[in-house]
Amino acid sequence: MLKEYDVIVVGAGHAGNEAAAAAANLGSSVLMVTMNMETIGQMSCNPAIGGIAKGQIVREIDALGGLTGKITDLSAIQFKLLNQSKGPAMWSPRAQCDRKLFSNYWRENLEAIENLDFWQDMVTGIIVDKHKVIGVETSMGLKIKAKSVVLNSGTFLNGSIHLGEKKFGGGRMGDKSSCGITEQLESLGFVSGRMKTGTPPRVDGRSLNFKLMEEQPGDENPGKFSFFDETKPLSKQKSCFITYTNDKTHEILRSGFERSPLFNGSIKSLGPRYCPSIEDKINRFSHRPRHQIFAEPEGWNTIEFYINGFSCSLPEEIQLESMQTIPGFENAKMFRPGYAVEYDYFPPTQLKHSLETKLIENLFFSGQINGTTGYEEAAGQGIMAGINAHLKINQKEPLVLSRDEAYIGVLIDDLITKGTDEPYRMFTSRAEYRILLRQDNADLRLSQIGRKIGLLSENKYERVLKKIEESDLLLKEIKKTSVIPSEINPMLKSKNSKEITQKVKAISILSRPNISINDVVSCSKELQDSKEKLTLISDALEQTEINIKYNGYIKREKENADKLKRLEHVEIPEDIDYAKFSSLSTESKEKLNSIKPINIGQAARISGIKPSDISILLIYLGR
């Protein structure tokens, strides 16, 4: 009934959507198979995109020609650029989204791709011939042929939902789990494991007292994710709100521990270390008197709120009783309780850097099947899997991004070379070249690659070239322009910066930490004239300022990277006690003590060990 396809994409979550869009936009005939056409692109947990390091990944996807940034902008209800008090390597965009709009826009954009077809069904296995995938089998008994297959199963492989002492099958509440694939892959030689994630309750916003909470508005001048002109920044925004748990909250939560699947043995797998459930938090961090709770709106036209920070799998009555002790939640009405999900994954060391499996040719894995957590990590893998599935069947070399090119490169390299036994989440600290991998320059780093493979349009690429041209022009103008005391001193005085006594180059003033490029430009008629010639003022200005202010840091980072490479084989004593290193995180101590690496190179390859940890060890070893 169904024709043979170039690529079959299994699953329509964040990984599957980017994979299907990439392969189809590159020219492959693609079939997306999903168990429910109504949940394409559904945000199963938090209705937000971006955050620390995650925002950088989304901008990289956009620069390559992917869709997550565009979809986020179209469905956003709030935008914030996080960490602006720190250096630009830490700036991370984050958007609160309208959950329904996000899913609707994904479906609309996918349906607009001409050679992308859809089929609602459950894939129960792959068809293999001589260690090469040639199609999939479905629960309807169909055998659909394809030259390559991309598996993006999310939390659905043998998914089990836990809510107090209740346990039932499902990949998410209201959706059944997917069965058959794990068992077949294991029979083919793959190794699988189990992981756990969770989600918090949703509540009726009309029952909350926001006056008792701290309002968290969006940025005064909001940005957006996509570099390109298809989307515009928000003209209005919705606020989030922050409050805190207390001793009474913790007492009630503890009263349900005996019925908690986390503590009674029902859940045996590991959950995300950096996004623990509320019961896990008060158990592991019992010394803390309170924990942050965020009330986040689910959309423009709904009263439903997502309770970020209160992920929970305790019985629903315990969830509600404890929640009602939190300031602002005294009269809270719960729409649905939080719950935990256990699911199968396949340790990613079984993959090549292209995300093709080592055991079965033309079979690709992306998303949570590889042990990651988060929409953004899934989408980053998805676009790469879709690109490489297309390249492979066209006998072309795979696209592999290096660690100094993209956070996506760091993510995939970490997964492939280190593996993971707990849900992997991206952080800026995982990237040793993070000052090179900023959110503002993702287009400069990756758009040429996107254009070369044919995923980024010519019009979009021309915009990037224009940004480069105008930034270079402004940089030259600032380097050659001088300012005199009468022009610049009033501004310097207002900024509590040392005034000048003679004519100096404008670039020396801009190098000062508390002086912005707009401050300098406003004091020079020459620079104002140059600025007025620019059409992409904000992009070019920001790029120029960062390049001037952080040029020295960039050079130093490259030197440090070279130094680490030379010291990779420094031996570590067998009797070293990592517990005495106060500067190491708990995670780092646990993993170093468990694995006991024999040299710095091996230590650096352990999942979760950061470049800063290696520096601490090198100092201890006298290197």
Side-chain angles (χ1 to χ4, degrees):
M1 183 179 72
L2 294 171
K3 67 177 186 181
E4 180 176 347
Y5 288 87
D6 292 326
V7 182
I8 290 178
V9 173
V10 181
H14 305 269
N17 289 353
E18 286 290 1
N25 281 324
L26 287 171
S28 286
S29 61
V30 179
L31 177 68
M32 171 179 273
V33 185
T34 174
M35 292 192 293
N36 188 349
M37 288 284 292
E38 302 305 314
T39 56
I40 288 175
Q42 182 162 318
M43 299 175 120
S44 302
C45 199
N46 190 2
I49 291 289
I52 307 302
K54 293 169 176 279
Q56 283 86 327
I57 290 175
V58 175
R59 301 209 91 189
E60 290 173 355
I61 292 168
D62 187 68
L64 287 168
L67 294 174
T68 298
K70 173 186 172 182
I71 303 297
T72 301
D73 290 342
L74 291 172
S75 58
I77 62 175
Q78 187 195 85
F79 183 92
K80 296 188 83 164
L81 187 61
L82 307 179
N83 283 338
Q84 291 188 72
S85 62
K86 301 178 181 179
M90 303 296 287
W91 298 350
S92 301
R94 182 185 187 273
Q96 201 73 25
C97 295
D98 184 305
R99 188 187 297 276
K100 286 186 177 179
L101 280 180
F102 187 88
S103 181
N104 290 343
Y105 276 122
W106 255 120
R107 181 161 177 172
E108 285 179 20
N109 277 263
L110 290 172
E111 288 180 351
I113 302 173
E114 187 175 343
N115 50 331
L116 173 56
D117 293 343
F118 304 86
W119 183 252
Q120 182 169 295
D121 203 347
M122 181 195 293
V123 170
T124 55
I126 59 172
I127 305 170
V128 178
D129 182 30
K130 297 177 182 177
H131 300 289
K132 187 174 185 177
V133 70
I134 59 170
V136 300
E137 294 187 53
T138 77
S139 61
M140 291 185 187
L142 294 176
K143 294 185 178 182
I144 311 170
K145 290 190 175 181
K147 296 174 184 175
S148 64
V149 174
V150 184
L151 287 183
N152 318 270
S153 53
T155 59
F156 285 79
L157 288 184
N158 292 323
S160 296
I161 292 176
H162 297 264
L163 177 55
E165 294 164 301
K166 304 167 189 171
K167 179 181 177 181
F168 44 93
R172 107 183 119 220
M173 194 68 80
D175 289 310
K176 60 185 179 181
S177 58
S178 174
C179 304
I181 293 177
T182 298
E183 293 74 16
Q184 185 202 13
L185 292 176
E186 287 177 339
S187 74
L188 292 169
F190 286 91
V191 175
S192 73
R194 294 284 277 178
M195 282 188 176
K196 169 254 174 188
T197 189
T199 193
R202 273 59 156 189
V203 304
D204 186 338
R206 297 171 301 182
S207 67
L208 300 180
N209 184 354
F210 297 110
K211 292 179 181 178
L212 298 180
M213 307 182 205
E214 178 186 339
E215 186 175 4
Q216 300 267 295
D219 287 347
E220 187 175 342
N221 297 303
K224 62 192 188 82
F225 272 99
S226 181
F227 290 101
F228 309 111
D229 299 328
E230 294 171 289
T231 62
K232 303 294 179 187
L234 288 167
S235 57
K236 62 175 182 176
Q237 301 185 71
K238 296 200 80 167
S239 289
C240 298
F241 297 85
I242 187 171
T243 182
Y244 297 88
T245 62
N246 52 59
D247 288 340
K248 183 65 176 175
T249 316
H250 301 175
E251 181 185 335
I252 295 171
L253 288 168
R254 286 192 188 95
S255 73
F257 276 10
E258 289 184 1
R259 301 165 65 196
S260 167
L262 273 182
F263 303 122
N264 66 14
S266 295
I267 293 176
K268 297 180 174 63
S269 52
L270 289 173
R273 178 185 293 265
Y274 299 102
C275 189
S277 64
I278 188 65
E279 60 264 44
D280 198 20
K281 281 186 208 174
I282 65 170
N283 184 54
R284 286 167 51 193
F285 308 108
S286 56
H287 59 286
R288 293 191 181 175
R290 65 179 193 170
H291 295 282
Q292 285 184 333
I293 300 295
F294 295 89
E296 301 177 342
E298 293 264 346
W300 292 114
N301 302 308
T302 179
I303 58 171
E304 189 171 356
F305 272 71
Y306 175 94
I307 311 307
N308 198 342
F310 207 82
S311 178
C312 193
S313 58
L314 288 165
E316 54 268 41
E317 66 272 16
I318 299 289
Q319 293 188 35
L320 181 59
E321 185 184 355
S322 61
M323 191 190 304
Q324 289 177 336
T325 66
I326 298 171
F329 281 75
E330 291 83 357
N331 299 307
K333 294 179 181 178
M334 194 161 65
F335 280 170
R336 43 191 167 137
Y339 58 90
V341 184
E342 277 191 297
Y343 56 94
D344 293 340
Y345 85 105
F346 290 83
T349 49
Q350 300 170 97
L351 302 176
K352 302 175 184 177
H353 274 81
S354 64
L355 297 180
E356 182 184 21
T357 67
K358 295 174 182 176
L359 285 174
I360 304 296
E361 188 178 357
N362 292 354
L363 176 63
F364 294 78
F365 290 173
S366 71
Q368 284 176 282
I369 193 172
N370 291 334
T372 58
T373 181
Y375 307 144
E376 304 81 4
E377 289 89 343
Q381 293 170 73
I383 192 172
M384 298 305 293
I387 289 169
N388 283 320
H390 169 83
L391 293 175
K392 179 67 189 294
I393 62 177
N394 286 283
Q395 291 79 51
K396 294 182 180 179
E397 287 296 310
L399 174 62
V400 176
L401 299 176
S402 63
R403 296 183 70 93
D404 62 346
E405 282 182 306
Y407 271 95
I408 295 173
V410 175
L411 166 67
I412 294 175
D413 184 60
D414 276 356
L415 293 173
I416 305 313
T417 59
K418 303 175 183 178
T420 186
D421 57 4
E422 61 183 61
Y424 178 103
R425 179 179 177 181
M426 179 53 72
F427 289 101
T428 51
S429 59
R430 295 194 191 274
E432 58 270 49
Y433 304 107
R434 57 187 172 274
I435 202 165
L436 307 178
L437 307 182
R438 305 183 310 274
Q439 57 86 31
D440 62 274
N441 71 350
D443 54 342
L444 309 188
R445 291 185 275 119
L446 299 175
S447 62
Q448 186 175 7
I449 295 171
R451 182 65 196 136
K452 184 178 179 181
I453 62 174
L455 197 55
L456 191 70
S457 70
E458 183 64 32
N459 286 342
K460 289 182 176 179
Y461 186 52
E462 285 177 0
R463 186 196 185 282
V464 179
L465 295 178
K466 185 71 172 173
K467 174 181 173 179
I468 295 170
E469 177 189 342
E470 294 195 337
S471 181
D472 288 345
L473 172 66
L474 193 56
L475 180 59
K476 288 177 184 176
E477 290 295 320
I478 291 174
K479 281 182 175 179
K480 74 178 186 181
T481 301
S482 297
V483 290
I484 58 176
S486 61
E487 285 180 328
I488 203 83
N489 278 345
M491 182 275 291
L492 294 177
K493 187 175 181 180
S494 71
K495 296 280 185 176
N496 294 319
S497 188
K498 186 178 179 181
E499 297 176 38
I500 61 173
T501 56
Q502 59 187 20
K503 190 177 184 180
V504 298
K505 290 292 184 183
I507 195 168
S508 68
I509 301 295
L510 182 53
S511 298
R512 299 184 185 188
N514 61 330
I515 305 298
S516 73
I517 193 166
N518 280 319
D519 293 331
V520 175
V521 169
S522 66
C523 298
S524 167
K525 181 68 169 61
E526 291 176 64
L527 293 178
Q528 286 178 41
D529 291 343
S530 297
K531 177 182 173 182
E532 287 172 8
K533 296 174 187 175
L534 302 177
T535 55
L536 306 175
I537 293 173
S538 61
D539 291 84
L541 283 175
E542 181 182 55
Q543 203 62 57
T544 305
E545 180 169 1
I546 291 171
N547 285 339
I548 290 171
K549 285 184 176 291
Y550 295 93
N551 183 48
Y553 293 100
I554 292 169
K555 289 181 179 177
R556 191 182 308 162
E557 187 165 87
K558 288 179 179 177
E559 291 172 2
N560 287 341
D562 292 339
K563 202 176 293 182
L564 283 174
K565 287 175 185 176
R566 291 197 299 270
L567 295 171
E568 194 176 65
H569 301 294
V570 175
E571 292 184 357
I572 299 174
E574 288 184 20
D575 59 352
I576 190 169
D577 181 13
Y578 296 104
K580 70 181 181 182
F581 290 90
S582 59
S583 299
L584 291 176
S585 67
T586 301
E587 177 189 8
S588 299
K589 291 175 185 176
E590 286 176 5
K591 293 194 169 181
L592 288 167
N593 273 320
S594 172
I595 296 171
K596 294 202 176 295
I598 60 172
N599 57 52
I600 289 293
Q602 186 182 357
R605 288 189 291 273
I606 298 171
S607 177
I609 299 299
K610 301 181 289 293
S612 58
D613 298 330
I614 299 303
S615 296
I616 292 166
L617 292 178
L618 287 170
I619 291 168
Y620 172 78
L621 296 170
R623 302 298 292 269

